[in-house]
Amino acid sequence: RFMALAVPLLVLAWLLQGAAADGAVYVAVDGVDGIMCGAKAAPCRTIARAVEVVHANKSTALLLSSGTFVEDCNSSGISITTPTLRLIEGQRAAVGPTTTIACSARGRFAVITTNELEVHNIRFVNASATDPSVGGAALSIRCGDLDAGVPCELNISACTFDANKAIFMGGALSIIVPSMGISGHILLDVCTFTGNSNGAAYIQVAELSSNTVASHADNSPHAADEPGPLPANRETISLSVDPVLAVTVRGCVFANNSNRIGQGGALTIVAGNLYSPASDIVVTIVDTLFAGNTNTLGCDQVINNPVALSQ
């Protein structure tokens, strides 16, 4: 009789693993990936194990200790599907990221499907995405389609992305909003992107198309294949978003990132398509430095569908 009860109790314990009163799962460099890890007093050791606890408990936060987490990355990345998630350095350090996430082998870190996401005060380094159809080696985010009518709310703040690499659509960060009918706000706030390959950050709303025109340095339009003057560092910034979705890039630094395939060496924001163009929205890029970014195709700006830009 005792053994008959023991197995169900073990199953129940696994289902309730790491449950914390504050809805958070704790992860620490000196933690242990046990069956009951995740509570503040018994943190998990790896983010991969902590994500299992998040899914089991429907938790809303991953709180990371200071230090370096070396994750066993692979081509698929850690899959996280949850309506709301905070991925933050739990001590809320005042100056610079004190938490680093690095990959022990070639692979991407995380693929996140969500409606609301906060990422704060974390350094992402040396992730590598080998699938040409999906960008964002450090963070690949799909936002706003888990529940109909729910807006996409992303806040990525005080993070650093160093030496991440993808084949396409953002070496470090890729954000996909799958429909132009999704509202919300995407904020990149006081983030630093350095030495990322095939673009640092990529934001796409709805489907891609060839509906692209290029721009001279003075923003006068010309055909995409027409030569024009280039800025000294040959940066490319693509700007366009959905009418009901705001994008703000504030206080960020994009330095020494590169691209070889026609998107932005630093930042690409693309929306709409040839048949359903996006327009009538303000993309705000303020107090942001672009320095030493390169694009071997040599465009200075690519504007996909007309938008009003505030800089």
Side-chain angles (χ1 to χ4, degrees):
R1 182 185 298 269
F2 174 78
M3 290 299 296
L5 290 173
V7 173
L9 286 174
L10 284 174
V11 172
L12 178 62
W14 183 84
L15 291 173
L16 297 176
Q17 56 189 300
D22 58 4
V25 175
Y26 290 81
V27 197
V29 294
D30 58 353
V32 177
D33 281 349
I35 191 171
M36 293 290 289
C37 75
K40 189 173 184 178
C44 298
R45 170 64 183 87
T46 64
I47 298 168
R49 171 62 184 140
V51 167
E52 294 177 348
V53 180
V54 165
H55 286 153
N57 292 320
K58 301 187 185 305
S59 301
T60 57
L62 278 169
L63 302 186
L64 311 183
S65 73
S66 298
T68 298
F69 293 87
V70 180
E71 296 291 315
D72 186 15
C73 302
N74 57 43
S75 60
S76 300
I78 300 170
S79 178
I80 307 174
T81 301
T82 179
T84 302
L85 181 68
R86 291 184 298 142
L87 175 63
I88 62 177
E89 181 272 311
Q91 304 302 312
R92 293 282 184 173
V95 180
T98 61
T99 298
T100 296
I101 297 175
C103 287
S104 63
R106 187 177 183 184
R108 71 172 66 249
F109 167 60
V111 178
I112 303 173
T113 303
T114 188
N115 294 324
E116 182 178 355
L117 175 67
E118 177 189 3
V119 184
H120 177 74
N121 217 31
I122 298 173
R123 178 175 180 247
F124 299 89
V125 61
N126 291 334
S128 178
T130 57
D131 183 349
S133 65
V134 183
L139 292 175
S140 180
I141 302 166
R142 185 176 176 91
C143 183
D145 67 341
L146 277 182
D147 301 290
V150 176
C152 165
E153 299 291 342
L154 299 183
N155 184 339
I156 301 175
S157 62
C159 291
T160 297
F161 298 83
D162 293 333
N164 301 285
K165 181 179 181 180
I167 296 175
F168 190 50
M169 297 190 297
L173 173 65
S174 174
I175 299 171
I176 305 297
V177 181
S179 169
M180 289 191 295
I182 296 174
S183 63
H185 188 201
I186 296 171
L187 172 63
L188 302 184
D189 193 22
V190 197
C191 292
T192 300
F193 297 81
T194 58
N196 300 286
S197 298
N198 281 331
Y202 178 94
I203 301 172
Q204 175 189 326
V205 181
E207 298 298 325
L208 281 174
S209 75
S210 59
N211 175 13
T212 301
V213 298
S215 167
H216 290 285
D218 63 357
N219 290 327
S220 59
H222 64 86
D225 59 352
E226 178 186 343
L230 300 173
N233 63 4
R234 299 179 67 182
E235 296 168 2
T236 302
I237 311 168
S238 303
L239 301 165
S240 179
V241 294
D242 175 76
V244 293
L245 187 73
V247 173
T248 302
V249 180
R250 180 174 64 197
C252 294
V253 174
F254 293 83
N256 302 318
N257 304 285
S258 63
N259 207 325
R260 302 188 304 273
I261 56 173
Q263 297 170 351
L267 171 66
T268 302
I269 305 174
V270 175
N273 54 54
L274 185 60
Y275 304 103
S276 300
S279 59
D280 301 326
I281 188 68
V282 174
V283 179
T284 302
I285 302 177
V286 61
D287 296 330
T288 293
L289 173 67
F290 297 88
N293 303 290
T294 61
N295 178 3
T296 55
L297 291 189
C299 297
D300 55 298
Q301 291 189 4
V302 177
I303 300 175
N304 178 12
N305 299 317
V307 297
L309 171 64
S310 172
Q311 286 187 280

